[in-house]
Amino acid sequence: MRKLLLLLVFALNATCIYAGQVTVRGTVKNQKDSVIVFNQNDFDAITRAHSYKRHEALINKDGSFEVTLPLARITEWVVHLDGDFELIHLAPDKNVTLLVDFKNQENTLSAIGENSEYVNFDTFLSKNLWNKYDRTYYQRIAKLSAPEFLKEQQERSQKQLALLTAYSKNHKVDKAYAQWLKIKCKYEP
C-alpha cells in the first residue's frame, strides 16, 4: 500500500511539472551572441511582486536553439539577443517555433506553424501600435493627471482591441489567447 501511495505521489508531481511548460524552438540569423535569453516579464496582480525568471538557450552553429520554459498561464516574456529585445506571449503546452533576426528591423521575431499567433500578434501589434509610442509620448503622459492618464490608457487599450479584431480576420487566433488579451486590455491601467 505504501509503495502504491508513493508511486501515486510521484506520478502526480511528474504531471504537475509537465503541465506548466512550453517548448520554444527556433532559428537565429545574424547573431553575435551564442546564447538567446528568455526572461519572464510577469508580476502578480495582487501582490505586485515581479518575476524576472531568466532562461538561456545555447545557439547551435546552424543557428538553431531549443528551450523549455515553465509557465502555468499565458505570460509575457522578453527575448534578448545581442543587446536587443522583443516581447512575446507564451502559453502552457502551446509549443512554438521562432525565427529570430534582430538585424531585420521590419521582422525581428516571428513564429511559424502551430501556435504562431502568440508571437505573431505581438509583432503585428508592435508594428501597428507600439512603434507609435516613442520617448516624447511617454514624457507627455508622465505629466498627465490621473484621470487624463487613465483616459489615455483606455484609448490605447481600445486601439489594441481593434487591432486584435483586424488581425483575427486574416489569422487564426486561439480563443483562450483572444480572451486573455481582451481581459488584459480591459483591466490594464
Side-chain angles (χ1 to χ4, degrees):
M1 184 67 169
R2 275 187 148 173
K3 288 182 181 178
L4 184 59
L5 184 60
L6 185 60
L7 183 61
L8 182 62
V9 169
F10 177 75
L12 287 173
N13 280 339
T15 303
C16 290
I17 290 170
Y18 171 76
Q21 295 182 346
V22 63
T23 300
V24 180
R25 294 177 180 87
T27 304
V28 178
K29 294 182 178 179
N30 300 314
Q31 85 277 5
K32 296 175 196 162
D33 291 344
S34 60
V35 173
I36 186 167
V37 177
F38 292 82
N39 281 2
Q40 187 174 352
N41 191 28
D42 194 24
F43 65 90
D44 186 287
I46 296 170
T47 66
R48 307 299 282 182
H50 284 270
S51 170
Y52 295 111
K53 295 177 185 167
R54 178 185 172 100
H55 302 272
E56 297 179 352
L58 285 174
I59 301 170
N60 300 315
K61 290 190 186 290
D62 64 353
S64 66
F65 69 89
E66 182 174 328
V67 63
T68 300
L69 304 171
L71 66 156
R73 63 188 185 288
I74 297 172
T75 308
E76 184 176 78
W77 289 78
V78 183
V79 181
H80 297 272
L81 182 69
D82 294 336
D84 289 319
F85 70 93
E86 283 287 338
L87 298 174
I88 62 171
H89 291 98
L90 298 171
D93 302 320
K94 301 286 186 176
N95 300 335
V96 68
T97 302
L98 299 179
L99 303 173
V100 183
D101 184 356
F102 280 102
K103 300 295 183 234
N104 180 351
Q105 295 301 312
E106 288 296 312
N107 197 18
T108 56
L109 197 119
S110 62
I112 56 172
E114 195 174 2
N115 306 315
S116 61
E117 69 269 17
Y118 287 91
V119 174
N120 293 339
F121 178 69
D122 291 322
T123 302
F124 178 79
L125 198 59
S126 179
K127 286 179 185 174
N128 291 284
L129 185 64
W130 300 130
N131 290 340
K132 294 173 177 52
Y133 297 112
D134 59 4
R135 182 181 300 268
T136 57
Y137 168 80
Y138 289 105
Q139 289 170 345
R140 182 181 64 78
I141 66 168
K143 297 174 185 172
L144 296 177
S145 67
E148 292 170 325
F149 175 79
L150 290 174
K151 183 179 180 217
E152 183 76 28
Q153 288 297 98
Q154 186 177 32
E155 289 173 7
R156 194 163 87 170
S157 290
Q158 293 304 318
K159 290 176 186 175
Q160 287 181 46
L161 291 174
L163 287 170
L164 175 62
T165 301
Y167 185 83
S168 298
K169 288 179 182 177
N170 298 318
H171 303 85
K172 182 189 120 208
V173 177
D174 180 62
K175 287 180 185 179
Y177 181 52
Q179 185 63 30
W180 180 84
L181 285 168
K182 289 174 185 175
I183 290 169
K184 181 178 180 276
C185 287
K186 182 175 181 179
Y187 294 105
E188 192 172 55

